[in-house]
Amino acid sequence: MTRRLLLISNSTTHGSGYLDHCKEQIKQFLTEKIQTVLFVPYALHDHEGYEATAKKAFVSLGYQLESIHRKTDPVTAVGSAEAIFIGGGNTFRLLNALYDKKLVTEIRRRVLQDGVPYIGSSAGSNVATASIHTTNDMPIVYPPSFTALSLVPFNINPHYIDPSPDSKHMGETREARINQFHEYVSSPPVLGIREGCILLVEDKVAKVVGANGARLFMRDTAPRELATGDDVSFLLKEC
Amino acid sequence: MTRRLLLISNSTTHGSGYLDHCKEQIKQFLTEKIQTVLFVPYALHDHEGYEATAKKAFVSLGYQLESIHRKTDPVTAVGSAEAIFIGGGNTFRLLNALYDKKLVTEIRRRVLQDGVPYIGSSAGSNVATASIHTTNDMPIVYPPSFTALSLVPFNINPHYIDPSPDSKHMGETREARINQFHEYVSSPPVLGIREGCILLVEDKVAKVVGANGARLFMRDTAPRELATGDDVSFLLKEC
Ligand SMILES: [Ca+2]
Ligand SMILES: [Ca+2]
């Protein structure tokens, strides 16, 4: 079976609706073989509201959507899912819930062994990677670990943003934050995906797609610009 | 003995040098009774470089500065410190080091029982509070807990920044992030201190000082603006 991931930087692009900017990619990714998507709303507090938003977007694309928060046994729901979509919100809250509900191993098994297509957006892309060490979110809850689903062996920084030369704010730039992560010896590569950027993984091939590029950071290496269409399959090799 | 804290939002203000914007407050806070300040550089990777920067600032104010990273026994160094300054950087790295070196209990004891003056800047202000749940930093390392020194019973968000109406970036605003924290039932108040803002605590009295105000967030309550000079002693009561 083939690992298939669609990792989206941001659910909403400025001035357009929820998932509007990546509808075509989602349709191409899920194809007509998929009928129902299992939605994971745990990154936000309001599961019902989040379900309604996500359902509207997927129904408009011709898919049914069922939210895992309605299932009596979430592990069984993952076990029979045709496709999984994990939405954005707070990455700490999301990963904490995945551990709490014993879903980490089961989602990993379904995606890597059974080839269940996985769509992640923002926090949902963070948890798909090696760890949540490079989330932008506030640590509002303490998860049992920062190790994530490890569907790929590197990290993502969603909503990647270049330093603003006009800013008078003294908080660290995104690049400075990622460089701090790479001060740790065994830290993996970090793919900073700008808003509009999407990473498509099909088995051993990874590609930058979507309307915007990415910036790749690796320990002891100068950062590197990546454009739409670039092949980044080398990132899939275990370090 | 009296608890005395000077909690600074940011070490450097745009266009001026390290600690320049709060030199007067530091002098008034430490007074002439203090001769040597114990510096904690653990929030940054480069301890020596950080020590040099901090030493320059404190020497210019008439104080000696010794960095804890040079001490063979950091716990003993805290045990005999006249005053403590914890600098900014990455809050996760800092708190992880404080736990690793068994300093959490000893710093707390010295400040709360012995009245040793404590200065924190940015990450150093975060760790002075109840927890680091409201840091802005990237979680580059997994500390054994998010519970911090608890020198005060509430949280701080340093470098607090108001939403920018012109921004097209879709990451959460600072206020939205803090609101997510307050979705948790027992979450304490969060004082968002803008760059330039300083919180001065003397025993049971807390005041907003410095060149800029703060914004106070409490669960189930509308946010509240605070200006320089405002008394916030009510925040010191244990919830
Ligand atoms: Ca988020
Ligand atoms: Ca920082």
Side-chain angles (χ1 to χ4, degrees), chain A residues 172, chain B residues 89 122 137:
Chain A
E172 297 90 349
Chain B
S122 192
D137 289 331

Side-chain angles (χ1 to χ4, degrees), chain A residues 51-91:
Chain A
E51 176 190 29
T53 303
K55 186 169 256 173
K56 204 177 146 200
F58 277 83
V59 165
S60 80
L61 295 174
Y63 303 101
Q64 300 298 312
L65 181 138
E66 294 185 355
S67 183
I68 197 167
H69 82 278
R70 298 197 178 274
K71 308 287 184 176
T72 40
D73 184 351
V75 176
T76 304
V78 169
S80 62
E82 286 179 75
I84 298 169
F85 168 47
I86 304 194
N90 183 285
T91 310

Side-chain angles (χ1 to χ4, degrees), chain A residues 168-172, chain B residues 6-23 25-26 50 85-89 119-126 136 156-160 193-199 209-213:
Chain A
K168 294 191 166 79
H169 191 260
M170 300 303 288
E172 297 90 349
Chain B
L6 191 72
L7 304 180
I8 303 166
S9 175
N10 52 307
S11 320
T12 311
T13 287
H14 185 76
S16 76
Y18 185 75
L19 295 181
D20 272 353
H21 70 97
C22 48
K23 282 192 165 179
Q25 282 90 353
I26 292 176
Y50 205 3
F85 168 49
I86 304 194
I119 303 173
S121 174
S122 192
S125 293
N126 273 125
N136 308 308
I156 276 180
N157 178 251
H159 301 271
Y160 180 75
I193 51 177
R194 294 190 178 85
E195 293 194 345
C197 182
I198 302 170
L199 182 72
V209 300
N212 215 339

Side-chain angles (χ1 to χ4, degrees), chain A residues 93 133 136 139 142-143 177 183, chain B residues 93 133 136 139 142-143 183:
Chain A
R93 181 194 282 281
H133 281 299
N136 308 308
Y142 184 71
R177 291 165 191 266
E183 287 165 352
Chain B
R93 182 194 280 282
H133 281 299
N136 308 308
Y142 184 71
E183 287 165 352

Side-chain angles (χ1 to χ4, degrees), chain A residues 82 127 144 157 164 171 177 207 223:
Chain A
E82 286 179 75
V127 297
N157 177 252
S164 159
R177 291 165 191 266
K207 252 188 190 169

Side-chain angles (χ1 to χ4, degrees), chain A residues 23 33 63-64 104 108 140 167:
Chain A
K23 282 193 167 179
K33 277 185 260 172
Y63 303 101
Q64 300 298 312
V104 173
R108 195 172 144 79
I140 58 174
S167 174

